[in-house]
Amino acid sequence: MSLRSTSVASRLIAVACLAVFSGCEKKSSEAPVLRPVLSKLVQPVSGTVDYFTGTVQPRYQAELGFQTIGRMIARDVNVGDVVTKGQKLGSLDPTVARLAVVSAQANIVNARAVLANAEATLERKRALAKTGSGTQVDLDTATASEQTAQARVTQAEASLQKAVEQLGYTSLNCSYDGVVVSWSAEVGQVVSLGQTVVTIARPEIRDGVFDIPDDRIDRLVPGSTFQVSLLVQSSVRARAIVREIAPQSDTTTRTRRIRFTLEDPPDAFRLGTTISLAVARPEDVHIDIPPGAILNRNGRDNIWIVGADSKASLRPVTVGARNGDRAAVTFGLTSGDRVVIAGAHSLFEGQSVKLLQEDQP
């Protein structure tokens, strides 16, 4: 092949390449790449509402136990049962206590017999002393024996009374009207003196109990009033007044237990029911956005804004408090701006974006 033919072929190849590249550029300009992003239409807020979850608990409840040692043989009520004052709740094996009563009764019989003999002896000694047939020593001895026998009778009677009382302790009775909250012992278990066996609550006075973080209790002062509602049905509400704030926070959760007095709560506010408390927290006017939407460049916070032409532009902003899943923008945004909340780290200035259907206004 000649040199001239080679030159012509090279020129033809170059022209073909130029045509291909120019076609690609034309195609690229006609169909720019769209970057899918999630976005959000922002609105300014002047405060937030914190929601806390708690339970309905009785203000007064007692942990009851037997006043003696023994093996539990019966539980006469179940958790949730309504009980009345004096009602039997449970019992221990009374065998040992009954034997103690029988023994005490026998001791009384014996002590009374000894007393009767001592009294008869004393009468004889007195009669002999009057006639001069007996001595004063014998009379004094008989008097001491009678007094000793009398004391033993008194002691035996007290022992019988104690044994009868101990027998009564084998039965656990309710001291007031209430509801059985829990059992802490089972049938067949040996319980000790004073060990908690059953918990009884008084349902007529109920409290709302919440564990609230330390940094959220500034508006909760004793006497302040709020509204609480059922977690499963927010339309059922009751007025709640702060009654008691724990002086110290829990070392693990860093929360404080706060008790609210529930005023005339509906019947649906049963013991153990989960309730919700809303506490408004005023703040300076700001716009809340997810922290992931903030792009830090050269020490400045920036946010991608999607304009009406569906193109992204970077805007510097001033960010205030950051708390968990939100950041408060105090300057740089206006109401109605569309902010990119996902995909911000892969955009460039002027890039066309595609708003996904999942975008939230």
Side-chain angles (χ1 to χ4, degrees):
M1 180 181 293
S2 65
L3 182 60
R4 181 180 179 85
S5 299
T6 304
S7 177
V8 171
S10 299
R11 290 177 181 179
L12 290 175
I13 293 173
V15 170
C17 291
L18 288 174
V20 171
F21 284 124
S22 61
C24 291
E25 290 178 357
K26 183 178 181 180
K27 183 177 180 181
S28 175
S29 62
E30 292 177 352
V33 178
L34 297 180
R35 176 68 180 177
V37 296
L38 290 176
S39 64
K40 173 184 178 181
L41 286 175
V42 296
Q43 298 292 337
V45 295
S46 58
T48 58
V49 178
D50 295 324
Y51 293 92
F52 305 101
T53 304
T55 57
V56 178
Q57 296 184 13
R59 179 177 300 181
Y60 305 110
Q61 67 179 20
E63 297 177 344
L64 305 181
F66 292 98
Q67 294 179 260
T68 187
I69 301 174
R71 181 175 60 87
M72 194 168 176
I73 62 172
R75 292 195 335 187
D76 297 281
V77 294
N78 298 315
V79 174
D81 287 352
V82 177
V83 294
T84 58
K85 183 177 181 179
Q87 182 176 345
K88 185 179 179 182
L89 304 176
S91 58
L92 301 177
D93 186 355
T95 303
V96 175
R98 286 175 180 170
L99 292 176
V101 171
V102 173
S103 177
Q105 291 172 339
N107 289 336
I108 284 184
V109 173
N110 179 61
R112 288 175 178 172
V114 173
L115 176 61
N117 183 51
E119 289 175 344
T121 301
L122 179 59
E123 290 299 326
R124 289 195 300 270
K125 296 298 182 180
R126 284 175 179 171
L128 292 174
K130 289 180 180 180
T131 60
S133 301
T135 64
Q136 185 63 38
V137 175
D138 292 338
L139 179 59
D140 292 342
T141 301
T143 301
S145 297
E146 189 272 339
Q147 292 176 349
T148 301
Q150 181 65 52
R152 288 177 178 174
V153 169
T154 303
Q155 183 181 17
E157 290 175 348
S159 297
L160 175 60
Q161 184 177 357
K162 180 179 179 181
V164 171
E165 187 174 353
Q166 289 292 323
L167 179 60
Y169 289 160
T170 61
S171 177
L172 181 61
N173 299 321
C174 187
S175 55
Y176 53 80
D177 297 344
V179 176
V180 180
V181 176
S182 64
W183 276 98
S184 305
E186 301 293 336
V187 174
Q189 179 179 343
V190 176
V191 297
S192 58
L193 176 65
Q195 176 183 338
T196 299
V197 173
V198 61
T199 302
I200 305 295
R202 298 178 62 176
E204 67 273 11
I205 303 179
R206 286 165 280 178
D207 282 350
V209 180
F210 294 84
D211 293 324
I212 298 180
D214 283 338
D215 59 348
R216 292 291 184 270
I217 66 171
D218 52 332
R219 298 202 64 231
L220 302 173
V221 296
S224 56
T225 303
F226 297 88
Q227 290 284 331
V228 295
S229 60
L230 291 181
L231 187 63
V232 296
Q233 190 176 358
S234 59
S235 60
V236 181
R237 300 180 179 180
R239 189 166 179 261
I241 302 175
V242 178
R243 181 176 65 86
E244 179 183 291
I245 300 178
Q248 294 182 339
S249 59
D250 186 89
T251 56
T252 303
T253 62
R254 307 308 302 174
T255 59
R256 293 196 190 185
R257 175 150 294 187
I258 301 181
R259 294 182 176 272
F260 294 77
T261 298
L262 301 179
E263 290 191 344
D264 298 324
D267 294 337
F269 278 67
R270 294 183 294 271
L271 296 180
T273 303
T274 303
I275 54 179
S276 176
L277 169 70
V279 180
R281 183 157 47 92
E283 296 177 348
D284 295 334
V285 177
H286 63 278
I287 294 176
D288 288 334
I289 63 171
I294 301 173
L295 186 65
N296 189 280
R297 290 185 177 179
N298 300 323
R300 288 294 307 273
D301 291 326
N302 301 272
I303 293 177
W304 286 108
I305 302 296
V306 179
D309 56 356
S310 297
K311 292 185 178 181
S313 61
L314 197 62
R315 181 184 299 179
V317 294
T318 301
V319 182
R322 303 173 190 246
N323 183 19
D325 59 351
R326 71 180 185 93
V329 177
T330 58
F331 181 79
L333 290 178
T334 59
S335 177
D337 284 342
R338 182 173 287 276
V339 175
V340 176
I341 61 175
H345 295 274
S346 58
L347 296 176
F348 58 82
E349 186 71 27
Q351 182 177 6
S352 297
V353 298
K354 177 183 178 181
L355 305 180
L356 300 180
Q357 295 180 355
E358 292 83 3
D359 294 349
Q360 297 295 326

